[in-house]
Coordinates of all heavy atoms in Angstrom, one line a residue:
A32 N -27.9 49.6 7.6 CA -27.6 48.3 7.5 C -26.3 47.9 8.2 O -26.1 46.9 8.7 CB -27.6 47.8 6.0
K33 N -25.3 48.9 8.1 CA -24.0 48.7 8.5 C -23.9 48.3 10.2 O -23.3 47.3 10.6 CB -23.0 49.8 8.4 CG -21.6 49.6 8.7 CD -20.7 50.6 8.3 CE -19.3 50.3 8.7 NZ -18.3 51.3 8.2
P34 N -24.7 49.0 11.0 CA -24.8 48.6 12.4 C -25.3 47.3 12.6 O -24.8 46.5 13.5 CB -25.6 49.7 13.0 CG -25.6 50.9 12.1 CD -25.5 50.3 10.8
L35 N -26.3 46.8 11.9 CA -26.9 45.4 11.9 C -25.8 44.4 11.5 O -25.7 43.3 12.1 CB -28.1 45.2 11.2 CG -29.3 46.1 11.4 CD1 -30.5 45.9 10.5 CD2 -29.8 45.6 12.8
I36 N -25.0 44.7 10.5 CA -23.9 43.8 10.1 C -22.9 43.6 11.1 O -22.4 42.7 11.4 CB -23.3 44.3 8.7 CG1 -24.4 44.2 7.6 CG2 -22.1 43.6 8.4 CD1 -24.0 44.8 6.3
E37 N -22.4 44.9 11.7 CA -21.4 44.8 12.9 C -22.0 44.2 14.0 O -21.3 43.7 14.8 CB -21.1 46.3 13.1 CG -20.4 47.0 12.0 CD -20.0 48.5 12.3 OE1 -20.6 48.9 13.2 OE2 -19.1 49.0 11.6
A38 N -23.4 44.1 14.3 CA -24.0 43.5 15.3 C -24.0 41.9 15.2 O -24.2 41.3 16.2 CB -25.3 43.9 15.6
G39 N -23.7 41.4 14.1 CA -23.7 39.9 13.8 C -24.4 39.3 12.6 O -24.2 38.2 12.4
L40 N -25.1 40.2 11.8 CA -25.8 39.7 10.6 C -24.9 39.8 9.5 O -24.3 40.6 9.3 CB -27.1 40.4 10.5 CG -28.2 40.3 11.5 CD1 -29.5 41.3 11.2 CD2 -28.7 38.9 11.6
A41 N -25.0 38.9 8.6 CA -24.3 38.9 7.3 C -25.0 39.9 6.3 O -26.2 40.0 6.4 CB -24.3 37.4 6.6
P42 N -24.3 40.5 5.4 CA -24.8 41.2 4.5 C -26.0 40.8 3.7 O -27.1 41.5 3.5 CB -23.7 41.7 3.6 CG -22.5 41.4 4.3 CD -22.9 40.3 5.3
E44 N -28.0 38.4 4.7 CA -29.1 38.2 5.7 C -29.9 39.4 5.8 O -31.1 39.4 5.9 CB -28.5 37.7 7.0 CG -28.0 36.3 6.9 CD -27.3 35.8 8.2 OE1 -27.0 36.7 8.9 OE2 -27.1 34.5 8.4
V45 N -29.1 40.6 5.9 CA -29.8 41.9 6.0 C -30.6 42.2 4.8 O -31.8 42.7 4.8 CB -28.7 43.0 6.2 CG1 -29.5 44.4 6.2 CG2 -28.0 42.9 7.6
G209 N -30.5 29.7 8.9 CA -29.2 29.6 9.7 C -28.8 31.1 10.4 O -27.8 31.1 10.9
M210 N -29.7 32.0 10.2 CA -29.5 33.3 10.7 C -29.5 33.3 12.3 O -30.2 32.6 12.9 CB -30.5 34.3 10.2 CG -30.4 35.7 10.5 SD -31.7 36.9 10.1 CE -32.0 36.3 8.3
D211 N -28.8 34.2 12.9 CA -28.8 34.5 14.3 C -30.0 35.5 14.6 O -29.7 36.7 14.7 CB -27.4 35.0 14.8 CG -27.4 35.1 16.4 OD1 -28.3 34.8 17.0 OD2 -26.4 35.6 16.9
W212 N -31.0 34.9 14.8 CA -32.3 35.9 15.1 C -32.2 36.7 16.3 O -32.9 37.7 16.5 CB -33.5 35.0 15.0 CG -33.8 34.4 13.7 CD1 -33.4 33.3 13.2 CD2 -34.7 35.0 12.5 NE1 -33.8 32.9 11.9 CE2 -34.7 34.0 11.5 CE3 -35.2 36.2 12.5 CZ2 -35.2 34.4 10.3 CZ3 -35.9 36.5 11.2 CH2 -35.8 35.6 10.2
V214 N -29.9 38.6 17.3 CA -29.3 39.9 17.0 C -30.5 40.9 16.9 O -30.4 42.2 17.3 CB -28.5 40.0 15.6 CG1 -28.2 41.3 15.2 CG2 -27.3 39.0 15.7
G218 N -29.5 45.6 20.4 CA -29.3 46.9 19.9 C -28.1 46.9 19.0 O -27.3 45.9 18.9
A219 N -27.8 48.0 18.4 CA -26.8 48.3 17.5 C -26.3 49.6 17.7 O -27.1 50.5 18.0 CB -27.1 47.9 16.0

Side-chain angles (χ1 to χ4, degrees):
K33 186 171 182 178
L35 292 177
I36 294 172
E37 292 177 342
L40 293 178
E44 291 173 342
V45 175
M210 186 189 311
D211 183 6
W212 293 89
V214 173

